[in-house]
């Protein structure tokens, strides 16, 4: 293997390779990398919030700012994203409580599943149509509340039941959430019909959620996808009404059927309200998208309507309850029922407001995702053999302007990637005695990504195999360079910081 770098075309340093073509001449990305601190860019499905704060160290063969790979010499040529962070430090996983390094901010914002997600999703109840259904711990709290409240109402209507009224109420709580599950399955089936992957269904405190990983391709599909849920709830309400006609309304079946009829009607009407994140908001988004031709315009309109709806719920619901407009007696003084109504309104308003904001961030993410290109973000790499001392490998990399090390066999076939965190952990005086093979991570098929990947396709590839670095290859199989998950995160944060 050559000991130094050869000059590439246009005066760019080429990557020396044993029996292989030179490495990539990576163009500088459109934007410099950014510090992750204060990014605040949550995104689709923004349950996880913004990327981790603080500067995330580069995770490839070199620091992401283009400094010498050992952090002591002059700056190398400007290939790949720049950064103002430190040249070394702990790998990204150490900054995030031990999560796999590849779970970058961009990855989380794209709605990608984390390894612990299934454990945090709650109790797995089954996999209808191949989609896991989880019951969140908060559901058990709402089941207790429904049992307590509805049980008291049943006791007033059917006093002869005694304590058994609470068993009937518990059955109602389970049956009601079974209806919510049917509502969510309607969304799921429509998504699967449109070939949109569904990660899971989760039953929570205030209903359920179907986590659809991709956006509908047309406004018509978006409208259908949103409308089928409330439509099924209306159908269920009608079926319970027809069943109620056949029984005594003052009997246990009659009380249960009446409760299920009313509750499903409320679910349908509430979800048809025209504001994100409700189904009606998605329907409004689809209509504005169709008229304007821009999905982002539809999202902005529906999200702001959702925020206005949150304010209306916060103020209007307690007033309507206190005035008796919802069927109860008017209340002149402030009592416990009034406080509970205000608390319920505040919780609902917070959920709607937060969901509307998350929808805006999700749309902004999808708008900027195409800017994440493997070819642009890839670091120039220098190939070295297993027994090459670390100091010699670093010298070759810096001479070539490279910022990553790929361990190859004598025929130039890549075997592993040298981890930056491992390099930083080796004191400079020991580097002549440490072979690069001891600092490398073996390549797996999932750690080889195409240089042509971009946007969601790139993030999908990184999600499939969590790692700190990936070998980027051309369609011909030739080595293009090394992609760092930290570089993807920095590029994502920078893109999200720009206005739409």
């Amino acid at each position: 293997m050559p000991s130094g770098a050869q000059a590439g075309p246009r005066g760019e340093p080429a990557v020396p390779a044993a029996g292989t073509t030179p490495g990539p001449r990576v163009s500088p990305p459109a934007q410099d990398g950014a510090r992750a601190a204060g990014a605040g860019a949550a995104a689709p499905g923004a349950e996880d919030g913004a990327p981790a704060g603080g500067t995330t160290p580069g995770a490839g063969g070199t620091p992401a700012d283009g400094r010498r790979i050992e952090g002591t010499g002059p700056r190398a040529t400007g290939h790949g994203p720049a950064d103002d962070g430190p040249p070394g430090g702990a790998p990204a996983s150490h900054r995030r409580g031990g999560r796999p390094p590849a779970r970058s901010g961009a990855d989380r914002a794209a709605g990608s599943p984390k390894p612990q997600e299934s454990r945090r999703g709650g109790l797995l109840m089954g996999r209808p149509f191949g989609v896991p259904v989880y019951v969140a711990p908060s559901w058990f709290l709402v089941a207790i509340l429904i049992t307590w409240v509805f049980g008291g109402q049943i006791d007033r209507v059917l006093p002869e039941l005694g304590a058994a009224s609470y068993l009937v109420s518990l059955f109602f709580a389970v049956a009601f959430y079974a209806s919510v599950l049917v509502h969510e399955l309607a969304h799921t089936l429509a998504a699967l019909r449109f070939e949109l992957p569904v990660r899971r269904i989760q039953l929570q405190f205030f209903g359920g959620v179907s986590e659809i990983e991709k956006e509908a391709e047309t406004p018509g599909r978006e409208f259908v996808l949103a409308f089928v849920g409330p439509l099924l709830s209306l159908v269920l309400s009608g079926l319970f009404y027809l069943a109620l006609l056949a029984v005594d309304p003052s009997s246990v079946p009659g009380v249960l059927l009446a409760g299920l009829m009313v509750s499903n009607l409320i679910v349908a009407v509430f979800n048809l309200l025209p504001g994100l994140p409700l189904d009606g908001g998605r329907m409004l988004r689809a209509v504005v998208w169709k008229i304007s031709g821009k999905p982002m315009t539809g999202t902005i309109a529906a999200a702001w309507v959702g925020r206005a709806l949150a304010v209306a719920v916060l103020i209007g619901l307690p007033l309507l309850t206190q005035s008796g407009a919802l069927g109860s007696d008017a209340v002149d003084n402030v009592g416990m029922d009034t406080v509970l109504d205000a608390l319920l309104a505040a919780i609902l308003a917070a959920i709607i407001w937060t969901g509307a904001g998350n929808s805006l961030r999700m749309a902004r993410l999808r708008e900027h995702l195409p800017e994440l290109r493997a070819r642009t973000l890839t670091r120039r790499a220098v190939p070295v053999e297993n027994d090459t001392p670390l100091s010699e490998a670093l010298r070759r990399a810096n001479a070539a302007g490279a910022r990553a090390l790929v361990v190859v066999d004598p025929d130039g076939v890549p075997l592993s990637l040298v981890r930056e965190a491992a390099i930083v952990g080796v004191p400079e005086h020991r580097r002549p005695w440490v072979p690069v093979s001891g600092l490398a991570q073996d390549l797996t098929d999932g750690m080889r990504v195409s240089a042509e990947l971009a946007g969601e396709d790139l993030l999908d590839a990184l999600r499939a195999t969590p790692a700190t670095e990936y070998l980027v290859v051309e369609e011909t199989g030739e080595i293009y360079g090394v992609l760092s998950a930290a570089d993807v995160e920095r590029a994502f944060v920078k893109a999200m910081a720009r206005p739409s």
Side-chain angles (χ1 to χ4, degrees):
M1 174 175 292
S3 59
Q6 301 172 352
R10 293 180 290 177
E12 297 188 23
V15 179
T20 62
T21 57
R25 288 176 289 278
V26 182
S27 302
Q31 298 290 337
D32 292 337
R35 298 175 70 94
E47 296 89 359
D48 294 326
T55 302
T56 306
T62 64
D65 62 354
R67 301 171 201 172
R68 287 175 62 91
I69 197 166
E70 71 273 32
T72 58
R75 297 178 66 88
T77 55
H79 298 280
D83 180 35
D84 55 353
S93 62
H94 294 169
R95 294 291 187 90
R96 297 195 186 96
R99 289 184 180 177
R103 312 249 68 87
S104 65
D107 195 4
R108 291 197 306 276
S112 61
K114 294 172 282 297
Q116 299 90 349
E117 182 180 44
S118 61
R119 289 195 291 268
R120 299 198 305 180
L123 180 64
L124 178 63
M125 300 302 294
R127 294 180 180 271
F129 310 105
V131 177
V133 175
Y134 293 96
V135 174
S138 59
W139 178 86
F140 295 96
L141 175 60
V142 76
I144 293 173
L145 291 175
I146 291 175
T147 301
W148 174 48
V149 174
F150 194 61
Q153 295 178 355
I154 294 177
D155 187 53
R156 286 193 292 270
V157 176
L158 302 172
E160 65 274 12
L161 290 179
S165 60
Y166 290 95
L167 291 178
V168 175
S169 181
L170 177 61
F171 179 83
F172 168 78
V174 174
F176 169 65
Y177 268 85
S179 301
V180 173
L181 177 59
V182 171
H183 176 112
E184 297 304 328
L185 284 174
H187 291 307
T188 296
L189 287 175
L192 296 177
R193 173 65 178 82
F194 296 144
E195 298 182 351
L196 301 176
V198 181
R199 187 190 310 165
R200 67 177 181 178
I201 296 173
Q202 188 181 48
L203 300 181
Q204 305 169 338
F205 187 91
F206 273 103
V209 58
S210 301
E211 297 184 11
I212 302 172
E213 295 187 1
K214 292 186 178 181
E215 189 179 71
E217 297 178 354
T218 65
R221 290 187 173 187
E222 173 77 357
F223 189 93
V224 171
L225 189 60
F227 181 59
V228 292
L231 176 62
L232 257 292
S233 293
L234 285 173
V235 170
L236 286 175
S237 181
L239 292 176
F240 288 128
Y241 171 74
L242 293 177
L244 180 60
L245 297 178
V247 300
D248 181 3
S250 61
S251 65
V252 171
V255 171
L256 286 175
L257 290 171
L260 291 171
M261 177 192 69
V262 173
S263 60
N264 276 277
L265 182 60
I266 292 174
V267 168
V269 172
F270 183 75
N271 274 279
L272 286 173
L273 294 176
L276 286 173
L278 303 175
D279 293 332
R282 296 184 63 187
M283 294 162 63
L284 174 62
R285 174 182 182 271
V287 171
V288 178
W289 176 5
K290 179 66 174 180
I291 295 173
S292 66
K294 299 178 180 179
M296 186 65 180
T297 302
T299 301
I300 292 173
W304 279 105
V305 172
R307 287 177 168 175
L309 181 62
V311 175
V313 169
L314 179 63
I315 299 174
L317 184 59
L319 292 178
L320 288 174
T321 303
Q322 193 168 16
S323 67
L326 297 181
S328 59
D329 295 333
V331 179
D332 294 329
N333 60 334
V334 177
M336 181 58 67
D337 289 342
T338 304
V339 173
L340 291 176
D341 291 338
L343 179 60
L344 175 62
I347 295 174
L348 284 174
I351 291 173
I352 296 173
W353 182 280
T354 303
N358 288 343
S359 297
L360 283 174
R361 286 188 286 271
M362 178 192 305
R364 185 168 61 178
L365 165 71
R366 295 192 184 280
E367 191 175 49
H368 290 307
L369 268 183
E371 300 173 21
L372 302 180
R373 298 182 177 275
R375 188 175 294 278
T376 303
L377 297 172
T378 296
R379 300 175 174 189
R380 181 188 292 275
V382 60
V384 293
E385 295 186 0
N386 270 308
D387 57 354
T388 305
L390 178 58
S391 58
E392 171 62 15
L394 297 177
R395 185 195 67 77
R396 295 182 193 178
N398 288 313
R403 301 188 299 122
L405 299 173
V406 178
V407 178
V408 298
D409 66 12
D411 296 324
V413 177
L415 302 175
S416 56
L417 301 177
V418 180
R419 296 173 294 115
E420 179 188 11
I423 294 175
V424 173
V426 179
E428 190 169 354
H429 69 276
R430 286 188 47 81
R431 292 177 179 178
W433 319 107
V434 177
V436 294
S437 59
L439 309 174
Q441 179 180 4
D442 291 340
L443 281 171
T444 63
D445 290 339
M447 292 173 62
R448 301 172 189 263
V449 299
S450 170
E452 304 303 322
L453 290 179
E456 289 195 51
D457 291 337
L458 174 60
L459 295 182
D460 287 343
L462 302 191
R463 277 198 298 263
T465 307
T468 54
E469 298 94 13
Y470 300 84
L471 181 69
V472 181
V473 296
E474 296 281 12
E475 292 182 352
T476 59
E478 297 174 350
I479 298 175
Y480 185 76
V482 171
L483 176 66
S484 166
D487 288 349
V488 176
E489 177 170 352
R490 274 185 288 269
F492 163 78
V493 171
K494 186 66 176 180
M496 287 292 291
R498 294 196 302 276
S500 300

